[in-house]
Amino acid sequence: MIQPYDVSTNPMNTVEWLFAAMECVHIGSFALSIGTITMVDMSLLGAGIGGRSPAQILRATESWTMVGLITVITAGLAIFSSDPLRYYYSPTFRFKIWVLLAAIVFNYTFHRRVSLSGSSPFIAKATGAISVILWGTVVFSGLFFAFNPGGY
Amino acid sequence: MSIATLSHAIQSTGFFTSVRQSELFYPTVMATHLSCIAVFGGMILMTNLRLMNLALKHTPASVVIESLRAWKRIGFVIMITCGILLAGSHLDKYYVNPYFQLKLSLLVITGIHGLIFHRSVYYNASLDQGGKLPAKAAIAGGTSLILWLTIVICGRWIAYYDDPNAIANLLRRLAHLV
């Protein structure tokens, strides 16, 4: 017999410090994942990092980006599990998840191809700008959801 | 004048009152503060990992530091501006908050850390000479990493503080574990 999920038994709700600790992990690991992606974006935008090409920066940071993404999503799932229904029914949270999925897909398809192949300056700049906007929107919508306690 | 009256006077100025009462501006400042952690915090993280010889190994540490310096400065200014807006508009609550006090102290210590390693690491063009980073580079990177992570943790914990004995209790619990 499958028992209905009871949030009140979730350690995220019973252990006093665990929720906040997960938020810290979430913040630290999005610094790692988004921070490294932004370093590639900046070189795509022509702002440059020590004269390195986007391809060089991508190659040097991609494994850290992956570690950051896996950690940030794992911590995010733990946070989600503390009150799944509230998240599920929140338009702000849904928006965040759609933009997040778009950002991840964009990052591993177009963004990656443009960074590695060295496209025209316009395409490179547009790719960098779209990436910054996508990831910025993810952070903003996450905060706007969290800032509205009990609401949507 | 006590800190209490000073804090109250600051947060009661027309400017900070309107920041506090704005429905959209306050969370926007907070989201910007957080986005800065993503962008510029990420750079600090990567610089420290480079100094510890864990990441970006094909780029000399001095080049990583030099090329991210301007960006980190820009980020720091945005970050501090947002921080002043956030804390200033709730200063009554903040100045008694031990996590806020700890966070500010750690920011000062981070400044001192930067001064200590100013010439030997952060403005040392020959840092990578000999193909191997000196131990002081790893020490600078490691302590900076711990300082910044603790600052982020304190920042988050500010929001959860409601018990005046919170830190004492936490230390007691930690002592119990050991």
Side-chain angles (χ1 to χ4, degrees), chain B residues 2-173:
Chain B
S2 69
I3 305 177
T5 46
L6 182 67
S7 298
H8 190 70
I10 292 173
Q11 80 157 37
S12 304
T13 54
F15 176 69
F16 280 123
T17 302
S18 47
V19 171
R20 180 172 58 250
Q21 290 173 346
S22 62
E23 220 165 278
L24 208 61
F25 186 67
Y26 193 80
T28 305
V29 174
M30 215 180 227
T32 310
H33 198 63
L34 215 57
S35 304
C36 284
I37 297 181
V39 177
F40 307 107
M43 292 180 187
I44 294 174
L45 216 53
M46 291 316 283
T47 309
N48 290 330
L49 290 172
R50 178 64 191 93
L51 285 172
M52 296 164 80
N53 216 16
L54 291 171
L56 309 173
K57 286 181 205 163
H58 299 295
T59 309
S62 54
V63 173
V64 174
I65 294 169
E66 194 53 53
S67 47
L68 292 178
R69 181 158 9 242
W71 288 108
K72 284 197 268 190
R73 281 195 182 145
I74 295 169
F76 190 73
V77 171
I78 305 174
M79 199 87 168
I80 294 284
T81 309
C82 291
I84 291 172
L85 290 171
L86 294 170
S89 55
H90 288 102
L91 211 51
D92 265 359
K93 248 179 10 197
Y94 271 71
Y95 92 92
V96 286
N97 190 315
Y99 296 104
F100 179 68
Q101 296 165 358
L102 186 59
K103 182 177 179 178
L104 288 193
S105 316
L106 289 169
L107 282 168
V108 172
I109 293 172
T110 306
I112 297 169
H113 168 275
L115 287 177
I116 291 174
F117 293 103
H118 186 84
R119 285 185 62 182
S120 61
V121 175
Y122 295 113
Y123 282 85
N124 184 356
S126 54
L127 186 63
D128 300 86
Q129 259 170 21
K132 199 169 170 283
L133 281 175
K136 61 192 170 197
I139 295 168
T143 40
S144 167
L145 188 67
I146 293 168
L147 282 168
W148 282 111
L149 286 177
T150 318
I151 287 169
V152 169
I153 292 169
C154 284
R156 193 69 287 253
W157 241 270
I158 289 172
Y160 291 100
Y161 168 74
D162 49 11
D163 174 8
N165 301 314
I167 288 193
N169 287 340
L170 181 71
L171 290 176
R172 205 169 304 133
R173 235 177 290 155

Side-chain angles (χ1 to χ4, degrees), chain A residues 63-116:
Chain A
S63 49
W64 290 98
T65 308
M66 186 59 92
V67 171
L69 280 176
I70 291 170
T71 314
V72 74
I73 291 172
T74 309
L77 286 171
I79 293 169
F80 176 83
S81 76
S82 68
D83 194 358
L85 289 181
R86 180 186 162 222
Y87 288 87
Y88 182 77
Y89 287 114
S90 156
T92 319
F93 182 74
R94 287 186 178 202
F95 175 73
K96 172 181 172 168
I97 294 305
W98 285 119
V99 182
L100 172 65
L101 288 174
I104 292 174
V105 170
F106 183 76
N107 189 64
Y108 283 102
T109 53
F110 210 73
H111 187 264
R112 187 175 177 81
R113 209 173 313 149
V114 170
S115 305
L116 292 178

